Structures are given as structure tokens and as C-alpha cells.
Amino acid sequence: MRNNLYPQFGILLIDDEESFLRSMSIALERRGGFNHIYRCQDSRKAMQVIADEPIGLVLLDLTMPHVSGEELLQAIASDYPDISVIILSGLNQLEVALNCIRLGAYDYFVKTTEEDRLIEGIRRAVRLQEMSFENRELRRRFLSDTLEQPEVFANIITQDKAMRSVFQYLESIAPSQQPVLIMGESGVGKEQIAHAIHTLSARSGPLVSVNVAGLDDNVFADTLFGHHRGAFTGADKARAGMIEQAAEGTLFLDEIGDLSQASQVKLLRLLQEGEYYPLGSDRPKRIRARIVVATHQNLEEKQLQGEFRKDLYYRLRIHQVEIPPLRKRKKDLGLLLDYFLSEAADELGKAKPTIPKELPVLLENYDFPGNVRELRAMAFDAMSQHRARILSMEAFRRVLTADHSPELLAEKGVAVRFNEEQPLPSLQEISDLLVEEAMRRAQGNQSLASRLIGISQPALSKRLKKLQGDEPL
């Protein structure tokens, strides 16, 4: 199926020797995992193949009858500047190589070059072309501000611009085979994003999810790679690993920041070589799944501290996306609350209540350390206690009150910064500023504002009258 072709663009081999075309095609597929290959033995037909097919990379011989490789190189560079050309020549001459680079070739290899070095050079060219394609797609989507497959994101409830940008980015990288790193705090919905990536890529295989937190090295290897019968004590029969189960699909590794150093080495080799060994086997298997990983930890900090391999980090971050926390998506609160209350009402067999107009305002003044997951838990808790037509705010108030307790604020290190070059404000000025800010955050609701600053509603009303000059100081 076309969906399982890799890379997304075609690789065209141009050589007058049929035996070389055949052997190179086999090497590209077995060693590189490339199966989107076109072959051309007659150099006179090469430009027509490029015109008819979605070619992104050309492997070109120099010495051919009819049209030379140098002539073809110049024609490709002139007519199709976005196509990369790698020269595969029988000539080991520096002057020839430099001339090819000057004419626009991406790289130059002698045919007798060892296969590993050649395949790695082709991998580099493929990655460069993929990034170029993705950048063009990303620019196009951002400039037009469109989503081509909005239905894929239908289950992610949001109207946030930052989330829309995430969706546009995911659409642009969907065809790539390269790994994707999903970052974000716990509870923001990283697994939903992994599902969206899998759906967008239209791969024929399944999405297989593995939480790697707490897995020791042996369990990690057995879980991912599988084993042969007799590989270790208790291995009575062979078992396919998650990589094989995800063939032609997506392998999602959650909590990748908790992976042990030994397991990090195994994952790095898998990404570099594109192959793995089931436990007890001496024959490698090629990975036929796309790798998507997620973490709530800061991998950049972990690699600086020596807790996460730098080379693995850079492999994983070829494509990366960060999901904004709920506290930065305040406009989504009302949508999510309504959705979760409907979900809870259906599950509990109750009628959906009316939401008090003060509730969204109350929630906007909460940080939601547990993000979307925490809001869902609140909604279900409130629905379980619901008895009247209007939803009680008590379940939400308890959380807000606990979050603003002096002990918790001290624990968070909450502090007010003053400009050292300016005189300190008076206590009265500070008090007035605090009241004004509380009223702004509560959108004019005195009951909510009083809760935010820890005073009674009558006391707040009295302070407001003083500010407005209606009551003597």
C-alpha cells in the first residue's frame, strides 16, 4: 500500500548497469528501510521519470551512454532545485567530486565505498529532504491558517490558538518516518496527541502504547523486542515484541524520561540502525513502525545533568511538540467543563445541570496542576454530589480554597517582586491594588473576589466603597 512507502517521496536510481540497480535497490530496502524506489537504466528517460513521479532524491551514476551523469545533474539542478542528488560514481577523483558539488550535488560517493557509510549518507539526504518538505508544509498551513483534517482532532476539546498551531504542525510532519517527541505536564493529553499523529499518518498497522516508567533493562528489552523460545528461564515459547506488534503502525512510548541508561542505549541503536534483535536471536529484524515518545519531564535539563543521553535526546527531538498546560488555555475551561459534565451525567445516569455563571470565573483563578485530567475529576466529583437543577460549586470551591492556603502558597514559593530603584508602596496602596486585582480576576463578582484574597464579602464591599470615595476612610 502507498501509505507504507518510505520515504514519502521517491528515490530514483539512474545507472546503465542493471546489476547495480538491482543490488542497490536491495541494499536500500534491507539496510536503510527505504522501499519507495524507482529505477532508470536509460539516462534519456530520466527527466521524464522525474516529471511523472514524486521524486525527492536521485542516486546518479556519472559515466553512462547517451546522456552523461554530469548533464543530468545540471538539468535536475536547473529544473528541479528541490530534488537532492547524490553521485554514485566508479571514479575516485577529488576534482570530479568537487565539480559535482559545485554543480549542485548534495554528496558524492565512490561505488566501492563500504555499504554502511553509503546508506548513512543516503539517510542524511532523506532526513534533509523530509525537513525541507515539512518546513514548506508548515509555512503553507500557518499562512493559510487551515487544518486539512480537522476531524482527526475532534476529540481534543479546544479553541486555543496555541493548540491549533500544534495541530497544524502535526499535519505537516504526519508523512515523516522520523520519531516525534511529545512534551507537556501530566494530564495535558499527550496520549490523545499520539493518537492524532497515528491517525494523520494513515499507516495500515495499529497504534501500540507502552508506558516505560519503572521498566528495568531486561523487561524493557523483552517488552519491545520480544524473545525466542529458550532465550531465558521461563521462556517456554516465542513472543513477539511491541515493535513487531506495531508493524506498519505506530509505537508510542510514554514516560520516556524515566528510561534507564542501559535501555536508552538500546533505544538509540534502534533509532540509528532501524533494526533490533529479539532476545535469544542472532538475526536482526527491521523496525516497520514509527516511534512516538512522550514525557512530562524536561529532557534538555536531564541530558545536561547526565541523566539522559544527549545523542538519544537529539534523535528524539527531530520532531517535537509541546502541549500547553490548562492554566495557559483559560478559554478552554468553559468548553471542557461542559463536555466533562455531559460525560459524567451520561455515565451516572443524571440530567445535566445548569452551570452557575460564576463557576468559569472561579476556575480561571485556579492553576490546575493536574491540567485537563484534574478538571475532569472535578466535574465527575461535582456530578456525583449533584442533586438540584443548578450545579453546586462546593466541590470546586474546596479545591480553590485549598490551593490558596498560606502553607501551599509558601510551598510554591509565591513572592511579590518590587522595583529596588523605586520606594516601597504603603500598606494602604498595596491593599487597594490587591482589591482591584481580585475584582478584575473575579470579573466584578464580589463573592468570588473576597474568596481570592481571603476576606469576607462584607469586608470587601466596605473596602470597595472606600476606594470609590463613597465611605469616609
Side-chain angles (χ1 to χ4, degrees):
M1 293 177 62
R2 184 171 182 79
N3 289 334
N4 294 324
L5 292 177
Y6 178 68
Q8 67 205 78
F9 51 82
I11 299 176
L12 174 60
L13 310 183
I14 307 175
D15 199 295
D16 60 310
E17 297 180 16
E18 174 61 28
S19 59
F20 179 77
L21 289 175
R22 186 170 55 252
S23 63
M24 193 67 214
S25 298
I26 293 172
L28 285 173
E29 186 159 2
R30 290 183 178 175
R31 301 297 304 276
F34 306 117
N35 61 358
H36 197 176
I37 299 171
Y38 299 85
R39 301 193 298 191
C40 179
Q41 193 175 353
D42 187 340
S43 59
R44 293 171 296 186
K45 300 178 180 178
M47 295 303 290
Q48 190 59 49
V49 175
I50 293 174
D52 294 341
E53 306 295 346
I55 304 301
L57 175 63
V58 173
L59 307 184
L60 177 63
D61 183 30
L62 279 184
T63 309
M64 296 181 291
H66 310 304
V67 183
S68 72
E70 187 174 303
E71 290 177 272
L72 277 177
L73 173 60
Q74 293 181 71
I76 294 170
S78 174
D79 297 349
Y80 301 95
D82 290 334
I83 293 178
S84 293
V85 179
I86 292 179
I87 302 298
L88 299 181
S89 173
L91 301 174
N92 187 6
Q93 297 179 4
L94 179 60
E95 185 177 342
V96 174
L98 290 175
N99 186 54
C100 289
I101 300 298
R102 182 180 61 80
L103 292 174
Y106 170 76
D107 213 335
Y108 183 104
F109 289 95
V110 180
K111 287 183 178 180
T112 55
T113 299
E114 63 179 80
E115 198 171 89
D116 287 346
R117 183 164 161 256
L118 175 59
I119 295 296
E120 185 53 40
I122 295 171
R123 282 198 186 112
R124 286 196 300 270
V126 167
R127 284 197 293 268
L128 184 67
Q129 281 295 79
E130 286 180 330
M131 286 189 286
S132 178
F133 172 81
E134 288 151 14
N135 286 336
R136 290 196 298 271
E137 278 294 290
L138 200 53
R139 282 198 301 271
R140 182 180 67 81
R141 293 172 198 274
F142 279 144
L143 289 173
S144 60
D145 194 26
T146 59
L147 284 175
E148 293 185 359
Q149 300 183 65
E151 68 280 0
V152 172
F153 307 102
N155 291 329
I156 304 176
I157 312 300
T158 183
Q159 58 183 5
D160 183 71
K161 288 185 177 180
M163 288 296 289
R164 184 177 178 83
S165 296
V166 167
F167 298 162
Q168 290 173 325
Y169 177 73
L170 295 181
E171 283 192 338
S172 71
I173 67 171
S176 173
Q177 180 78 359
Q178 299 302 321
V180 183
L181 170 60
I182 306 171
M183 299 177 295
E185 297 176 7
S186 295
V188 293
K190 296 187 289 294
E191 189 164 356
Q192 282 185 304
I193 296 298
H195 277 271
I197 293 170
H198 174 70
T199 303
L200 287 168
S201 64
R203 300 177 66 85
S204 61
L207 171 70
V208 176
S209 301
V210 184
N211 189 319
V212 300
L215 297 185
D216 65 30
D217 185 49
N218 291 330
V219 176
F220 173 79
D222 186 38
T223 300
L224 259 63
F225 307 144
H227 62 257
H228 279 200
R229 180 181 178 184
F232 51 84
T233 303
D236 299 328
K237 58 182 179 180
R239 186 182 67 80
M242 294 297 188
I243 295 175
E244 190 169 341
Q245 293 177 36
E248 311 302 346
T250 305
L251 178 64
F252 174 50
L253 304 180
D254 200 4
E255 301 297 352
I256 198 71
D258 293 323
L259 206 59
S260 70
Q261 290 281 344
S263 296
Q264 288 177 33
V265 174
K266 289 181 170 63
L267 180 58
L268 175 63
R269 186 182 186 282
L270 177 69
L271 295 174
Q272 285 180 329
E273 307 298 331
E275 59 184 29
Y276 63 97
Y277 291 84
L279 299 182
S281 172
D282 57 1
R283 297 183 61 182
K285 289 187 174 183
R286 288 214 61 81
I287 180 171
R288 294 181 292 127
R290 187 181 192 180
I291 302 289
V292 176
V293 303
T295 181
H296 69 279
Q297 302 187 49
N298 188 323
L299 291 189
E300 185 172 8
E301 286 186 3
K302 286 182 71 73
Q303 64 93 8
L304 289 173
Q305 295 166 2
E307 298 174 1
F308 199 88
R309 290 183 65 95
K310 183 182 295 186
D311 43 9
L312 176 57
Y313 171 62
Y314 287 117
R315 281 280 179 181
L316 292 174
R317 62 170 288 183
I318 291 175
H319 300 309
Q320 60 176 326
V321 59
E322 183 157 9
I323 314 304
L326 187 54
R327 63 180 172 276
K328 293 184 178 179
R329 296 162 47 194
K330 294 296 178 71
K331 290 183 178 179
D332 287 346
L333 283 169
L335 287 173
L336 288 165
L337 178 62
D338 185 72
Y339 177 81
F340 290 141
L341 287 174
S342 296
E343 185 183 21
D346 289 342
E347 188 170 314
L348 296 171
K350 294 183 176 182
K352 182 184 171 184
T354 300
I355 300 174
K357 63 180 181 179
E358 300 91 351
L359 182 53
V361 180
L362 179 71
L363 296 178
E364 285 181 13
N365 289 282
Y366 180 59
D367 279 348
F368 283 98
N371 290 290
V372 178
R373 186 184 298 141
E374 183 179 11
L375 177 59
R376 183 177 185 273
M378 283 185 187
F380 271 73
D381 183 36
M383 275 301 301
S384 67
Q385 303 173 46
H386 172 63
R387 296 291 182 272
R389 185 176 63 83
I390 298 177
L391 182 68
S392 170
M393 293 175 53
E394 190 54 39
F396 301 96
R397 281 177 175 145
R398 284 200 306 269
V399 175
L400 183 63
T401 303
D403 184 66
H404 285 80
S405 66
E407 295 81 3
L408 187 56
L409 291 174
E411 182 181 317
K412 288 182 177 180
V414 175
V416 177
R417 303 291 181 185
F418 295 100
N419 188 337
E420 294 185 3
E421 297 179 0
Q422 299 292 329
L424 288 171
S426 67
L427 287 175
Q428 185 61 50
E429 289 171 330
I430 288 291
S431 175
D432 293 345
L433 288 171
L434 186 62
V435 167
E436 289 174 357
E437 178 63 16
M439 288 297 291
R440 185 189 68 80
R441 294 192 182 192
Q443 299 180 16
N445 186 301
Q446 291 190 22
S447 177
L448 289 179
S450 64
R451 285 180 175 273
L452 292 177
I453 56 177
I455 62 175
S456 67
Q457 193 274 328
L460 176 64
S461 179
K462 185 175 181 181
R463 288 174 182 269
L464 287 171
K465 289 178 180 178
K466 287 180 181 179
L467 277 173
Q468 295 163 0
D470 296 338
E471 183 176 312
L473 295 174

